[in-house]
PDB file of all heavy atoms in Angstrom:
ATOM      1  N   TYR D  28    -166.031  86.518  25.237  1.00 98.00           N
ATOM      2  CA  TYR D  28    -166.239  86.717  23.805  1.00 98.00           C
ATOM      3  C   TYR D  28    -164.906  86.870  23.076  1.00 98.00           C
ATOM      4  O   TYR D  28    -164.688  86.284  22.015  1.00 98.00           O
ATOM      5  CB  TYR D  28    -167.112  87.950  23.555  1.00 98.00           C
ATOM      6  CG  TYR D  28    -167.836  87.860  22.241  1.00 98.00           C
ATOM      7  CD1 TYR D  28    -169.079  87.238  22.158  1.00 98.00           C
ATOM      8  CD2 TYR D  28    -167.277  88.346  21.076  1.00 98.00           C
ATOM      9  CE1 TYR D  28    -169.741  87.118  20.951  1.00 98.00           C
ATOM     10  CE2 TYR D  28    -167.927  88.235  19.865  1.00 98.00           C
ATOM     11  CZ  TYR D  28    -169.163  87.616  19.804  1.00 98.00           C
ATOM     12  OH  TYR D  28    -169.799  87.495  18.601  1.00 98.00           O
ATOM     13  N   TYR D  29    -164.008  87.665  23.655  1.00 98.00           N
ATOM     14  CA  TYR D  29    -162.729  87.923  22.988  1.00 98.00           C
ATOM     15  C   TYR D  29    -161.858  86.674  22.954  1.00 98.00           C
ATOM     16  O   TYR D  29    -160.845  86.655  22.242  1.00 98.00           O
ATOM     17  CB  TYR D  29    -161.980  89.091  23.659  1.00 98.00           C
ATOM     18  CG  TYR D  29    -161.552  88.829  25.083  1.00 98.00           C
ATOM     19  CD1 TYR D  29    -160.404  88.119  25.379  1.00 98.00           C
ATOM     20  CD2 TYR D  29    -162.306  89.312  26.152  1.00 98.00           C
ATOM     21  CE1 TYR D  29    -160.019  87.881  26.682  1.00 98.00           C
ATOM     22  CE2 TYR D  29    -161.932  89.078  27.457  1.00 98.00           C
ATOM     23  CZ  TYR D  29    -160.784  88.369  27.712  1.00 98.00           C
ATOM     24  OH  TYR D  29    -160.414  88.137  29.008  1.00 98.00           O
ATOM     25  N   GLU D  30    -162.199  85.657  23.722  1.00 98.00           N
ATOM     26  CA  GLU D  30    -161.421  84.408  23.687  1.00 98.00           C
ATOM     27  C   GLU D  30    -161.821  83.527  22.508  1.00 98.00           C
ATOM     28  O   GLU D  30    -161.080  82.608  22.153  1.00 98.00           O
ATOM     29  CB  GLU D  30    -161.603  83.635  24.995  1.00 98.00           C
ATOM     30  CG  GLU D  30    -161.023  84.378  26.191  1.00 98.00           C
ATOM     31  CD  GLU D  30    -161.139  83.616  27.501  1.00 98.00           C
ATOM     32  OE1 GLU D  30    -162.226  83.050  27.780  1.00 98.00           O
ATOM     33  OE2 GLU D  30    -160.162  83.598  28.257  1.00 98.00           O
ATOM     34  N   THR D  31    -162.988  83.783  21.936  1.00 98.00           N
ATOM     35  CA  THR D  31    -163.434  82.960  20.806  1.00 98.00           C
ATOM     36  C   THR D  31    -162.716  83.387  19.525  1.00 98.00           C
ATOM     37  O   THR D  31    -162.190  84.491  19.430  1.00 98.00           O
ATOM     38  CB  THR D  31    -164.951  83.102  20.576  1.00 98.00           C
ATOM     39  OG1 THR D  31    -165.252  84.455  20.231  1.00 98.00           O
ATOM     40  CG2 THR D  31    -165.733  82.714  21.816  1.00 98.00           C
ATOM     41  N   ASP D  32    -162.701  82.487  18.558  1.00 97.00           N
ATOM     42  CA  ASP D  32    -162.152  82.812  17.244  1.00 97.00           C
ATOM     43  C   ASP D  32    -163.199  82.490  16.183  1.00 97.00           C
ATOM     44  O   ASP D  32    -164.333  82.117  16.512  1.00 97.00           O
ATOM     45  CB  ASP D  32    -160.827  82.085  16.988  1.00 97.00           C
ATOM     46  CG  ASP D  32    -160.992  80.573  16.961  1.00 97.00           C
ATOM     47  OD1 ASP D  32    -162.108  80.070  16.688  1.00 97.00           O
ATOM     48  OD2 ASP D  32    -160.002  79.873  17.199  1.00 97.00           O
ATOM     49  N   LYS D  33    -162.854  82.651  14.921  1.00 96.00           N
ATOM     50  CA  LYS D  33    -163.842  82.493  13.862  1.00 96.00           C
ATOM     51  C   LYS D  33    -164.353  81.064  13.680  1.00 96.00           C
ATOM     52  O   LYS D  33    -165.313  80.842  12.945  1.00 96.00           O
ATOM     53  CB  LYS D  33    -163.330  83.098  12.538  1.00 96.00           C
ATOM     54  CG  LYS D  33    -162.200  82.350  11.884  1.00 96.00           C
ATOM     55  CD  LYS D  33    -161.559  83.175  10.779  1.00 96.00           C
ATOM     56  CE  LYS D  33    -162.363  83.284   9.514  1.00 96.00           C
ATOM     57  NZ  LYS D  33    -162.394  82.055   8.710  1.00 96.00           N
ATOM     58  N   MET D  34    -163.736  80.085  14.363  1.00 96.00           N
ATOM     59  CA  MET D  34    -164.300  78.728  14.396  1.00 96.00           C
ATOM     60  C   MET D  34    -165.485  78.678  15.361  1.00 96.00           C
ATOM     61  O   MET D  34    -166.188  77.670  15.445  1.00 96.00           O
ATOM     62  CB  MET D  34    -163.257  77.706  14.856  1.00 96.00           C
ATOM     63  CG  MET D  34    -162.241  77.309  13.803  1.00 96.00           C
ATOM     64  SD  MET D  34    -161.039  76.103  14.483  1.00 96.00           S
ATOM     65  CE  MET D  34    -162.051  74.593  14.453  1.00 96.00           C
ATOM     66  N   GLY D  35    -165.657  79.741  16.165  1.00 95.00           N
ATOM     67  CA  GLY D  35    -166.775  79.794  17.099  1.00 95.00           C
ATOM     68  C   GLY D  35    -166.473  79.175  18.455  1.00 95.00           C
ATOM     69  O   GLY D  35    -167.366  79.014  19.287  1.00 95.00           O
ATOM     70  N   VAL D  36    -165.207  78.841  18.686  1.00 97.00           N
ATOM     71  CA  VAL D  36    -164.809  78.228  19.966  1.00 97.00           C
ATOM     72  C   VAL D  36    -163.702  79.049  20.618  1.00 97.00           C
ATOM     73  O   VAL D  36    -163.116  79.924  19.989  1.00 97.00           O
ATOM     74  CB  VAL D  36    -164.312  76.780  19.735  1.00 97.00           C
ATOM     75  CG1 VAL D  36    -165.410  75.926  19.095  1.00 97.00           C
ATOM     76  CG2 VAL D  36    -163.056  76.767  18.858  1.00 97.00           C
ATOM     77  N   ALA D  37    -163.423  78.758  21.884  1.00 98.00           N
ATOM     78  CA  ALA D  37    -162.314  79.448  22.555  1.00 98.00           C
ATOM     79  C   ALA D  37    -161.016  79.122  21.826  1.00 98.00           C
ATOM     80  O   ALA D  37    -160.720  77.952  21.570  1.00 98.00           O
ATOM     81  CB  ALA D  37    -162.221  79.014  24.011  1.00 98.00           C
ATOM     82  N   HIS D  38    -160.253  80.147  21.480  1.00 98.00           N
ATOM     83  CA  HIS D  38    -158.977  79.947  20.793  1.00 98.00           C
ATOM     84  C   HIS D  38    -158.035  79.130  21.686  1.00 98.00           C
ATOM     85  O   HIS D  38    -158.018  79.319  22.899  1.00 98.00           O
ATOM     86  CB  HIS D  38    -158.354  81.310  20.466  1.00 98.00           C
ATOM     87  CG  HIS D  38    -157.157  81.209  19.572  1.00 98.00           C
ATOM     88  ND1 HIS D  38    -155.873  81.145  20.059  1.00 98.00           N
ATOM     89  CD2 HIS D  38    -157.057  81.146  18.226  1.00 98.00           C
ATOM     90  CE1 HIS D  38    -155.030  81.060  19.035  1.00 98.00           C
ATOM     91  NE2 HIS D  38    -155.724  81.060  17.915  1.00 98.00           N
ATOM     92  N   HIS D  39    -157.252  78.271  21.056  1.00 97.00           N
ATOM     93  CA  HIS D  39    -156.413  77.353  21.838  1.00 97.00           C
ATOM     94  C   HIS D  39    -155.365  78.062  22.693  1.00 97.00           C
ATOM     95  O   HIS D  39    -154.829  77.477  23.627  1.00 97.00           O
ATOM     96  CB  HIS D  39    -155.750  76.318  20.920  1.00 97.00           C
ATOM     97  CG  HIS D  39    -154.765  76.917  19.963  1.00 97.00           C
ATOM     98  ND1 HIS D  39    -155.163  77.539  18.791  1.00 97.00           N
ATOM     99  CD2 HIS D  39    -153.418  77.042  19.995  1.00 97.00           C
ATOM    100  CE1 HIS D  39    -154.096  77.971  18.139  1.00 97.00           C
ATOM    101  NE2 HIS D  39    -153.037  77.685  18.858  1.00 97.00           N
ATOM    102  N   SER D  40    -155.048  79.328  22.382  1.00 98.00           N
ATOM    103  CA  SER D  40    -154.066  80.023  23.214  1.00 98.00           C
ATOM    104  C   SER D  40    -154.622  80.379  24.595  1.00 98.00           C
ATOM    105  O   SER D  40    -153.856  80.617  25.530  1.00 98.00           O
ATOM    106  CB  SER D  40    -153.591  81.306  22.525  1.00 98.00           C
ATOM    107  OG  SER D  40    -154.682  82.180  22.309  1.00 98.00           O
ATOM    108  N   SER D  41    -155.944  80.391  24.724  1.00 98.00           N
ATOM    109  CA  SER D  41    -156.569  80.824  25.983  1.00 98.00           C
ATOM    110  C   SER D  41    -156.143  79.976  27.173  1.00 98.00           C
ATOM    111  O   SER D  41    -156.066  80.469  28.301  1.00 98.00           O
ATOM    112  CB  SER D  41    -158.090  80.775  25.857  1.00 98.00           C
ATOM    113  OG  SER D  41    -158.523  81.453  24.708  1.00 98.00           O
ATOM    114  N   PHE D  42    -155.877  78.699  26.921  1.00 98.00           N
ATOM    115  CA  PHE D  42    -155.602  77.810  28.049  1.00 98.00           C
ATOM    116  C   PHE D  42    -154.384  78.243  28.859  1.00 98.00           C
ATOM    117  O   PHE D  42    -154.330  78.038  30.067  1.00 98.00           O
ATOM    118  CB  PHE D  42    -155.424  76.359  27.547  1.00 98.00           C
ATOM    119  CG  PHE D  42    -154.019  76.013  27.137  1.00 98.00           C
ATOM    120  CD1 PHE D  42    -153.140  75.385  28.023  1.00 98.00           C
ATOM    121  CD2 PHE D  42    -153.547  76.332  25.861  1.00 98.00           C
ATOM    122  CE1 PHE D  42    -151.843  75.069  27.645  1.00 98.00           C
ATOM    123  CE2 PHE D  42    -152.256  76.025  25.480  1.00 98.00           C
ATOM    124  CZ  PHE D  42    -151.390  75.395  26.376  1.00 98.00           C
TER     125      PHE D  42
END
Side-chain angles (χ1 to χ4, degrees):
Chain D
Y28 205 88
Y29 65 82
E30 295 182 315
T31 63
D32 63 24
K33 70 193 286 287
M34 283 179 77
V36 301
H38 189 266
H39 66 280
S40 61
S41 309
F42 88 96

